[in-house]
Amino acid sequence: MLSDDPPTGFRKIDFDRDRPEPTFNSHIGNLYVKRGEKGARDEFVMGFRVHQHMCNPAGGLHGGMMMTVADLVGAMGGGTLAGLRKFLPTVNMTFDFVAPAKVGDWVEGRPELVRATRSLLFTNIYLTVGEEKILRASSICKIPSGDGLAFGKARLVREDAKP
């Protein structure tokens, strides 16, 4: 069995946070995050080890997995760079698949904040294996008005809504 063996500084993301039912993110595989200094290239980095269940029949990392991770990097990472602590739903994304990744590769995703308006967040995302870019994406996320729902608050709202 292949170990994730994340590089130093990466911490596993707990998407379930004691929810009674797993969410979509729980099924794709372990994802990790590393935070660096504000304004640094590594201010927000998401990473994961490519496992066989993440691959297409040709043995390369599945495009759907790359798009899912890019979406998370755009919303979570872009929100971090913009100083937002709320859930940011994606309203549009474009993807360019540049190169394949294979089982055993460590993939990292980094956001680049393009612009934040009152209601929208524009982000470029790059997935890499080492220094090689494997995917470039562009993301637009909605910034909810008011406090919005933080990831932790969203869970509480759902629990309170139970009959």
Side-chain angles (χ1 to χ4, degrees), residues 28 31 48-70 97 99-108 127-129 134-135:
I28 61 172
L31 298 178
F48 66 98
R49 182 77 55 200
V50 178
H51 290 265
Q52 186 62 49
H53 74 274
M54 300 172 179
C55 292
N56 60 34
L61 180 61
H62 195 285
M65 179 67 180
M66 288 192 270
M67 291 188 295
T68 296
V69 172
F97 300 92
K102 62 186 182 318
V103 171
D105 284 345
W106 177 258
V107 176
E108 292 184 352
L127 298 187
T128 59
V129 173
I134 64 169
L135 179 127

mmCIF file of all heavy atoms in Angstrom, residues 28 31 48-70 97 99-108 127-129 134-135:
data_model
loop_
_atom_site.group_PDB
_atom_site.id
_atom_site.type_symbol
_atom_site.label_atom_id
_atom_site.label_comp_id
_atom_site.label_asym_id
_atom_site.label_seq_id
_atom_site.Cartn_x
_atom_site.Cartn_y
_atom_site.Cartn_z
ATOM 1 N N ILE A 28 -12.327 11.493 -2.183
ATOM 2 C CA ILE A 28 -11.333 11.623 -3.250
ATOM 3 C C ILE A 28 -9.933 11.217 -2.819
ATOM 4 O O ILE A 28 -9.084 10.973 -3.653
ATOM 5 C CB ILE A 28 -11.317 13.051 -3.839
ATOM 6 C CG1 ILE A 28 -10.952 14.088 -2.781
ATOM 7 C CG2 ILE A 28 -12.645 13.370 -4.491
ATOM 8 C CD1 ILE A 28 -10.740 15.471 -3.350
ATOM 9 N N LEU A 31 -6.033 14.900 1.381
ATOM 10 C CA LEU A 31 -5.455 16.152 0.911
ATOM 11 C C LEU A 31 -4.768 16.819 2.091
ATOM 12 O O LEU A 31 -5.217 16.706 3.237
ATOM 13 C CB LEU A 31 -6.529 17.079 0.343
ATOM 14 C CG LEU A 31 -7.291 16.563 -0.873
ATOM 15 C CD1 LEU A 31 -8.350 17.565 -1.297
ATOM 16 C CD2 LEU A 31 -6.358 16.271 -2.028
ATOM 17 N N PHE A 48 -1.139 16.414 -2.406
ATOM 18 C CA PHE A 48 -1.615 15.042 -2.246
ATOM 19 C C PHE A 48 -0.707 14.096 -3.010
ATOM 20 O O PHE A 48 -0.040 14.480 -3.971
ATOM 21 C CB PHE A 48 -3.067 14.886 -2.718
ATOM 22 C CG PHE A 48 -3.275 15.079 -4.192
ATOM 23 C CD1 PHE A 48 -3.358 13.988 -5.054
ATOM 24 C CD2 PHE A 48 -3.402 16.350 -4.727
ATOM 25 C CE1 PHE A 48 -3.559 14.162 -6.415
ATOM 26 C CE2 PHE A 48 -3.608 16.535 -6.085
ATOM 27 C CZ PHE A 48 -3.678 15.435 -6.937
ATOM 28 N N ARG A 49 -0.676 12.848 -2.534
ATOM 29 C CA ARG A 49 0.054 11.776 -3.207
ATOM 30 C C ARG A 49 -0.907 11.086 -4.171
ATOM 31 O O ARG A 49 -2.041 10.770 -3.807
ATOM 32 C CB ARG A 49 0.569 10.775 -2.177
ATOM 33 C CG ARG A 49 1.370 9.640 -2.724
ATOM 34 C CD ARG A 49 2.796 9.999 -3.101
ATOM 35 N NE ARG A 49 3.502 10.598 -1.987
ATOM 36 C CZ ARG A 49 4.591 11.350 -2.109
ATOM 37 N NH1 ARG A 49 5.100 11.601 -3.299
ATOM 38 N NH2 ARG A 49 5.180 11.872 -1.056
ATOM 39 N N VAL A 50 -0.482 10.875 -5.409
ATOM 40 C CA VAL A 50 -1.319 10.216 -6.405
ATOM 41 C C VAL A 50 -1.375 8.712 -6.100
ATOM 42 O O VAL A 50 -0.339 8.048 -6.043
ATOM 43 C CB VAL A 50 -0.800 10.450 -7.841
ATOM 44 C CG1 VAL A 50 -1.676 9.712 -8.853
ATOM 45 C CG2 VAL A 50 -0.752 11.942 -8.164
ATOM 46 N N HIS A 51 -2.581 8.198 -5.900
ATOM 47 C CA HIS A 51 -2.835 6.779 -5.694
ATOM 48 C C HIS A 51 -3.555 6.231 -6.918
ATOM 49 O O HIS A 51 -4.168 6.982 -7.691
ATOM 50 C CB HIS A 51 -3.708 6.570 -4.443
ATOM 51 C CG HIS A 51 -2.991 6.879 -3.172
ATOM 52 N ND1 HIS A 51 -2.368 5.929 -2.412
ATOM 53 C CD2 HIS A 51 -2.791 8.067 -2.532
ATOM 54 C CE1 HIS A 51 -1.820 6.489 -1.346
ATOM 55 N NE2 HIS A 51 -2.058 7.795 -1.398
ATOM 56 N N GLN A 52 -3.546 4.912 -7.069
ATOM 57 C CA GLN A 52 -4.147 4.271 -8.233
ATOM 58 C C GLN A 52 -5.626 4.637 -8.413
ATOM 59 O O GLN A 52 -6.082 4.849 -9.527
ATOM 60 C CB GLN A 52 -3.995 2.749 -8.133
ATOM 61 C CG GLN A 52 -4.461 2.017 -9.379
ATOM 62 C CD GLN A 52 -3.654 2.397 -10.615
ATOM 63 O OE1 GLN A 52 -2.427 2.392 -10.590
ATOM 64 N NE2 GLN A 52 -4.338 2.737 -11.702
ATOM 65 N N HIS A 53 -6.382 4.742 -7.299
ATOM 66 C CA HIS A 53 -7.821 5.039 -7.428
ATOM 67 C C HIS A 53 -8.090 6.455 -7.942
ATOM 68 O O HIS A 53 -9.219 6.776 -8.280
ATOM 69 C CB HIS A 53 -8.548 4.800 -6.093
ATOM 70 C CG HIS A 53 -8.297 5.843 -5.056
ATOM 71 N ND1 HIS A 53 -7.211 5.802 -4.199
ATOM 72 C CD2 HIS A 53 -8.982 6.956 -4.746
ATOM 73 C CE1 HIS A 53 -7.246 6.852 -3.407
ATOM 74 N NE2 HIS A 53 -8.317 7.577 -3.711
ATOM 75 N N MET A 54 -7.051 7.296 -8.038
ATOM 76 C CA MET A 54 -7.186 8.654 -8.549
ATOM 77 C C MET A 54 -6.874 8.732 -10.045
ATOM 78 O O MET A 54 -6.942 9.813 -10.630
ATOM 79 C CB MET A 54 -6.239 9.595 -7.797
ATOM 80 C CG MET A 54 -6.468 9.686 -6.326
ATOM 81 S SD MET A 54 -5.121 10.640 -5.581
ATOM 82 C CE MET A 54 -5.625 10.635 -3.870
ATOM 83 N N CYS A 55 -6.531 7.606 -10.650
ATOM 84 C CA CYS A 55 -6.037 7.598 -12.028
ATOM 85 C C CYS A 55 -7.086 7.141 -13.031
ATOM 86 O O CYS A 55 -8.053 6.467 -12.684
ATOM 87 C CB CYS A 55 -4.810 6.687 -12.126
ATOM 88 S SG CYS A 55 -3.390 7.357 -11.226
ATOM 89 N N ASN A 56 -6.849 7.512 -14.281
ATOM 90 C CA ASN A 56 -7.696 7.072 -15.386
ATOM 91 C C ASN A 56 -7.198 5.712 -15.892
ATOM 92 O O ASN A 56 -6.141 5.244 -15.447
ATOM 93 C CB ASN A 56 -7.727 8.140 -16.488
ATOM 94 C CG ASN A 56 -6.348 8.424 -17.061
ATOM 95 O OD1 ASN A 56 -5.492 7.545 -17.176
ATOM 96 N ND2 ASN A 56 -6.121 9.678 -17.426
ATOM 97 N N PRO A 57 -7.905 5.069 -16.806
ATOM 98 C CA PRO A 57 -7.469 3.759 -17.305
ATOM 99 C C PRO A 57 -6.088 3.755 -17.963
ATOM 100 O O PRO A 57 -5.441 2.721 -18.035
ATOM 101 C CB PRO A 57 -8.554 3.377 -18.317
ATOM 102 C CG PRO A 57 -9.765 4.113 -17.857
ATOM 103 C CD PRO A 57 -9.243 5.414 -17.313
ATOM 104 N N ALA A 58 -5.615 4.910 -18.434
ATOM 105 C CA ALA A 58 -4.289 4.995 -19.048
ATOM 106 C C ALA A 58 -3.177 5.109 -18.004
ATOM 107 O O ALA A 58 -1.994 5.123 -18.359
ATOM 108 C CB ALA A 58 -4.232 6.180 -20.007
ATOM 109 N N GLY A 59 -3.543 5.222 -16.721
ATOM 110 C CA GLY A 59 -2.545 5.283 -15.654
ATOM 111 C C GLY A 59 -2.136 6.675 -15.230
ATOM 112 O O GLY A 59 -1.278 6.837 -14.365
ATOM 113 N N GLY A 60 -2.731 7.699 -15.828
ATOM 114 C CA GLY A 60 -2.427 9.074 -15.438
ATOM 115 C C GLY A 60 -3.449 9.597 -14.449
ATOM 116 O O GLY A 60 -4.572 9.087 -14.366
ATOM 117 N N LEU A 61 -3.057 10.616 -13.701
ATOM 118 C CA LEU A 61 -3.979 11.249 -12.755
ATOM 119 C C LEU A 61 -5.227 11.704 -13.514
ATOM 120 O O LEU A 61 -5.130 12.392 -14.534
ATOM 121 C CB LEU A 61 -3.299 12.431 -12.072
ATOM 122 C CG LEU A 61 -4.114 13.207 -11.051
ATOM 123 C CD1 LEU A 61 -4.549 12.312 -9.888
ATOM 124 C CD2 LEU A 61 -3.304 14.398 -10.538
ATOM 125 N N HIS A 62 -6.389 11.317 -13.034
ATOM 126 C CA HIS A 62 -7.657 11.623 -13.700
ATOM 127 C C HIS A 62 -7.894 13.132 -13.722
ATOM 128 O O HIS A 62 -7.660 13.836 -12.732
ATOM 129 C CB HIS A 62 -8.803 10.922 -12.961
ATOM 130 C CG HIS A 62 -10.067 10.868 -13.739
ATOM 131 N ND1 HIS A 62 -10.881 11.963 -13.908
ATOM 132 C CD2 HIS A 62 -10.651 9.850 -14.408
ATOM 133 C CE1 HIS A 62 -11.919 11.622 -14.641
ATOM 134 N NE2 HIS A 62 -11.808 10.339 -14.965
ATOM 135 N N GLY A 63 -8.373 13.627 -14.862
ATOM 136 C CA GLY A 63 -8.669 15.053 -14.996
ATOM 137 C C GLY A 63 -9.685 15.537 -13.984
ATOM 138 O O GLY A 63 -9.602 16.672 -13.501
ATOM 139 N N GLY A 64 -10.650 14.692 -13.625
ATOM 140 C CA GLY A 64 -11.643 15.073 -12.616
ATOM 141 C C GLY A 64 -11.011 15.308 -11.257
ATOM 142 O O GLY A 64 -11.424 16.204 -10.519
ATOM 143 N N MET A 65 -9.994 14.526 -10.920
ATOM 144 C CA MET A 65 -9.281 14.722 -9.657
ATOM 145 C C MET A 65 -8.507 16.045 -9.698
ATOM 146 O O MET A 65 -8.521 16.809 -8.747
ATOM 147 C CB MET A 65 -8.340 13.540 -9.390
ATOM 148 C CG MET A 65 -7.543 13.660 -8.118
ATOM 149 S SD MET A 65 -8.601 13.557 -6.659
ATOM 150 C CE MET A 65 -7.372 13.735 -5.369
ATOM 151 N N MET A 66 -7.862 16.309 -10.835
ATOM 152 C CA MET A 66 -7.124 17.570 -10.955
ATOM 153 C C MET A 66 -8.071 18.767 -10.848
ATOM 154 O O MET A 66 -7.767 19.751 -10.176
ATOM 155 C CB MET A 66 -6.365 17.621 -12.280
ATOM 156 C CG MET A 66 -5.168 16.703 -12.323
ATOM 157 S SD MET A 66 -4.092 17.029 -13.734
ATOM 158 C CE MET A 66 -4.803 15.955 -14.954
ATOM 159 N N MET A 67 -9.245 18.663 -11.491
ATOM 160 C CA MET A 67 -10.205 19.769 -11.441
ATOM 161 C C MET A 67 -10.750 19.961 -10.031
ATOM 162 O O MET A 67 -10.934 21.100 -9.580
ATOM 163 C CB MET A 67 -11.339 19.531 -12.439
ATOM 164 C CG MET A 67 -10.887 19.642 -13.878
ATOM 165 S SD MET A 67 -12.225 19.593 -15.105
ATOM 166 C CE MET A 67 -12.853 17.949 -14.909
ATOM 167 N N THR A 68 -11.003 18.872 -9.318
ATOM 168 C CA THR A 68 -11.510 18.970 -7.948
ATOM 169 C C THR A 68 -10.502 19.675 -7.052
ATOM 170 O O THR A 68 -10.843 20.588 -6.300
ATOM 171 C CB THR A 68 -11.837 17.572 -7.389
ATOM 172 O OG1 THR A 68 -12.894 17.007 -8.169
ATOM 173 C CG2 THR A 68 -12.259 17.639 -5.936
ATOM 174 N N VAL A 69 -9.248 19.260 -7.149
ATOM 175 C CA VAL A 69 -8.212 19.879 -6.311
ATOM 176 C C VAL A 69 -8.031 21.344 -6.698
ATOM 177 O O VAL A 69 -7.921 22.220 -5.826
ATOM 178 C CB VAL A 69 -6.888 19.094 -6.397
ATOM 179 C CG1 VAL A 69 -5.763 19.835 -5.691
ATOM 180 C CG2 VAL A 69 -7.064 17.704 -5.793
ATOM 181 N N ALA A 70 -8.032 21.644 -7.990
ATOM 182 C CA ALA A 70 -7.902 23.035 -8.423
ATOM 183 C C ALA A 70 -9.052 23.888 -7.885
ATOM 184 O O ALA A 70 -8.850 25.037 -7.471
ATOM 185 C CB ALA A 70 -7.839 23.114 -9.947
ATOM 186 N N PHE A 97 -5.068 21.325 -19.243
ATOM 187 C CA PHE A 97 -4.309 20.154 -18.817
ATOM 188 C C PHE A 97 -2.983 20.179 -19.565
ATOM 189 O O PHE A 97 -2.951 20.057 -20.783
ATOM 190 C CB PHE A 97 -5.100 18.882 -19.110
ATOM 191 C CG PHE A 97 -6.416 18.866 -18.380
ATOM 192 C CD1 PHE A 97 -7.567 19.353 -18.992
ATOM 193 C CD2 PHE A 97 -6.507 18.389 -17.083
ATOM 194 C CE1 PHE A 97 -8.788 19.353 -18.320
ATOM 195 C CE2 PHE A 97 -7.714 18.389 -16.403
ATOM 196 C CZ PHE A 97 -8.848 18.873 -17.027
ATOM 197 N N ALA A 99 0.257 18.511 -18.476
ATOM 198 C CA ALA A 99 1.106 17.312 -18.448
ATOM 199 C C ALA A 99 0.482 16.298 -17.494
ATOM 200 O O ALA A 99 -0.304 16.657 -16.614
ATOM 201 C CB ALA A 99 2.520 17.672 -17.997
ATOM 202 N N PRO A 100 0.834 15.017 -17.657
ATOM 203 C CA PRO A 100 0.263 13.998 -16.767
ATOM 204 C C PRO A 100 1.026 13.882 -15.448
ATOM 205 O O PRO A 100 2.164 14.316 -15.342
ATOM 206 C CB PRO A 100 0.423 12.709 -17.586
ATOM 207 C CG PRO A 100 1.639 12.951 -18.423
ATOM 208 C CD PRO A 100 1.622 14.431 -18.739
ATOM 209 N N ALA A 101 0.354 13.309 -14.469
ATOM 210 C CA ALA A 101 0.994 12.884 -13.219
ATOM 211 C C ALA A 101 0.709 11.397 -13.101
ATOM 212 O O ALA A 101 -0.265 10.899 -13.673
ATOM 213 C CB ALA A 101 0.420 13.648 -12.030
ATOM 214 N N LYS A 102 1.532 10.678 -12.363
ATOM 215 C CA LYS A 102 1.366 9.228 -12.259
ATOM 216 C C LYS A 102 1.357 8.791 -10.801
ATOM 217 O O LYS A 102 1.671 9.586 -9.897
ATOM 218 C CB LYS A 102 2.458 8.515 -13.040
ATOM 219 C CG LYS A 102 3.854 8.791 -12.522
ATOM 220 C CD LYS A 102 4.906 8.190 -13.418
ATOM 221 C CE LYS A 102 6.307 8.393 -12.929
ATOM 222 N NZ LYS A 102 6.674 9.659 -12.401
ATOM 223 N N VAL A 103 0.988 7.547 -10.573
ATOM 224 C CA VAL A 103 0.946 6.988 -9.226
ATOM 225 C C VAL A 103 2.294 7.219 -8.537
ATOM 226 O O VAL A 103 3.350 7.001 -9.129
ATOM 227 C CB VAL A 103 0.616 5.473 -9.262
ATOM 228 C CG1 VAL A 103 0.788 4.851 -7.878
ATOM 229 C CG2 VAL A 103 -0.806 5.247 -9.762
ATOM 230 N N GLY A 104 2.216 7.695 -7.312
ATOM 231 C CA GLY A 104 3.412 7.959 -6.518
ATOM 232 C C GLY A 104 3.861 9.401 -6.539
ATOM 233 O O GLY A 104 4.602 9.840 -5.657
ATOM 234 N N ASP A 105 3.429 10.175 -7.548
ATOM 235 C CA ASP A 105 3.824 11.591 -7.622
ATOM 236 C C ASP A 105 3.199 12.381 -6.478
ATOM 237 O O ASP A 105 2.071 12.110 -6.056
ATOM 238 C CB ASP A 105 3.365 12.218 -8.943
ATOM 239 C CG ASP A 105 4.216 11.820 -10.133
ATOM 240 O OD1 ASP A 105 5.323 11.287 -9.937
ATOM 241 O OD2 ASP A 105 3.757 12.048 -11.272
ATOM 242 N N TRP A 106 3.919 13.367 -5.975
ATOM 243 C CA TRP A 106 3.388 14.334 -5.015
ATOM 244 C C TRP A 106 2.968 15.564 -5.824
ATOM 245 O O TRP A 106 3.783 16.186 -6.508
ATOM 246 C CB TRP A 106 4.424 14.709 -3.961
ATOM 247 C CG TRP A 106 3.908 15.748 -3.008
ATOM 248 C CD1 TRP A 106 4.208 17.077 -3.024
ATOM 249 C CD2 TRP A 106 2.994 15.549 -1.933
ATOM 250 N NE1 TRP A 106 3.528 17.722 -2.011
ATOM 251 C CE2 TRP A 106 2.773 16.812 -1.323
ATOM 252 C CE3 TRP A 106 2.322 14.448 -1.432
ATOM 253 C CZ2 TRP A 106 1.927 16.983 -0.232
ATOM 254 C CZ3 TRP A 106 1.484 14.621 -0.342
ATOM 255 C CH2 TRP A 106 1.295 15.870 0.244
ATOM 256 N N VAL A 107 1.686 15.888 -5.774
ATOM 257 C CA VAL A 107 1.130 17.020 -6.527
ATOM 258 C C VAL A 107 0.867 18.165 -5.561
ATOM 259 O O VAL A 107 0.326 17.952 -4.470
ATOM 260 C CB VAL A 107 -0.183 16.619 -7.238
ATOM 261 C CG1 VAL A 107 -0.814 17.823 -7.944
ATOM 262 C CG2 VAL A 107 0.063 15.485 -8.229
ATOM 263 N N GLU A 108 1.249 19.376 -5.961
ATOM 264 C CA GLU A 108 0.974 20.564 -5.156
ATOM 265 C C GLU A 108 0.163 21.560 -5.966
ATOM 266 O O GLU A 108 0.345 21.674 -7.183
ATOM 267 C CB GLU A 108 2.282 21.229 -4.696
ATOM 268 C CG GLU A 108 3.046 20.377 -3.706
ATOM 269 C CD GLU A 108 4.292 21.026 -3.142
ATOM 270 O OE1 GLU A 108 4.699 22.116 -3.617
ATOM 271 O OE2 GLU A 108 4.865 20.442 -2.217
ATOM 272 N N LEU A 127 -1.304 23.459 -10.636
ATOM 273 C CA LEU A 127 -0.939 22.190 -10.028
ATOM 274 C C LEU A 127 0.406 21.782 -10.614
ATOM 275 O O LEU A 127 0.602 21.868 -11.837
ATOM 276 C CB LEU A 127 -1.972 21.097 -10.303
ATOM 277 C CG LEU A 127 -3.390 21.292 -9.780
ATOM 278 C CD1 LEU A 127 -4.218 20.025 -10.009
ATOM 279 C CD2 LEU A 127 -3.426 21.693 -8.322
ATOM 280 N N THR A 128 1.313 21.337 -9.748
ATOM 281 C CA THR A 128 2.655 20.975 -10.188
ATOM 282 C C THR A 128 3.092 19.648 -9.581
ATOM 283 O O THR A 128 2.603 19.238 -8.530
ATOM 284 C CB THR A 128 3.680 22.050 -9.764
ATOM 285 O OG1 THR A 128 3.663 22.181 -8.329
ATOM 286 C CG2 THR A 128 3.395 23.397 -10.393
ATOM 287 N N VAL A 129 4.014 18.994 -10.276
ATOM 288 C CA VAL A 129 4.770 17.867 -9.738
ATOM 289 C C VAL A 129 6.214 18.335 -9.798
ATOM 290 O O VAL A 129 6.767 18.522 -10.887
ATOM 291 C CB VAL A 129 4.571 16.576 -10.557
ATOM 292 C CG1 VAL A 129 5.506 15.479 -10.064
ATOM 293 C CG2 VAL A 129 3.123 16.116 -10.488
ATOM 294 N N ILE A 134 1.368 20.795 -14.264
ATOM 295 C CA ILE A 134 0.540 19.776 -14.890
ATOM 296 C C ILE A 134 -0.862 20.290 -15.202
ATOM 297 O O ILE A 134 -1.567 19.716 -16.019
ATOM 298 C CB ILE A 134 0.472 18.481 -14.055
ATOM 299 C CG1 ILE A 134 -0.199 18.709 -12.702
ATOM 300 C CG2 ILE A 134 1.860 17.872 -13.907
ATOM 301 C CD1 ILE A 134 -0.533 17.422 -11.948
ATOM 302 N N LEU A 135 -1.276 21.383 -14.552
ATOM 303 C CA LEU A 135 -2.589 21.970 -14.808
ATOM 304 C C LEU A 135 -2.549 23.451 -14.489
ATOM 305 O O LEU A 135 -1.916 23.871 -13.510
ATOM 306 C CB LEU A 135 -3.662 21.304 -13.936
ATOM 307 C CG LEU A 135 -5.069 21.880 -14.130
ATOM 308 C CD1 LEU A 135 -6.057 20.766 -14.429
ATOM 309 C CD2 LEU A 135 -5.511 22.626 -12.885
#
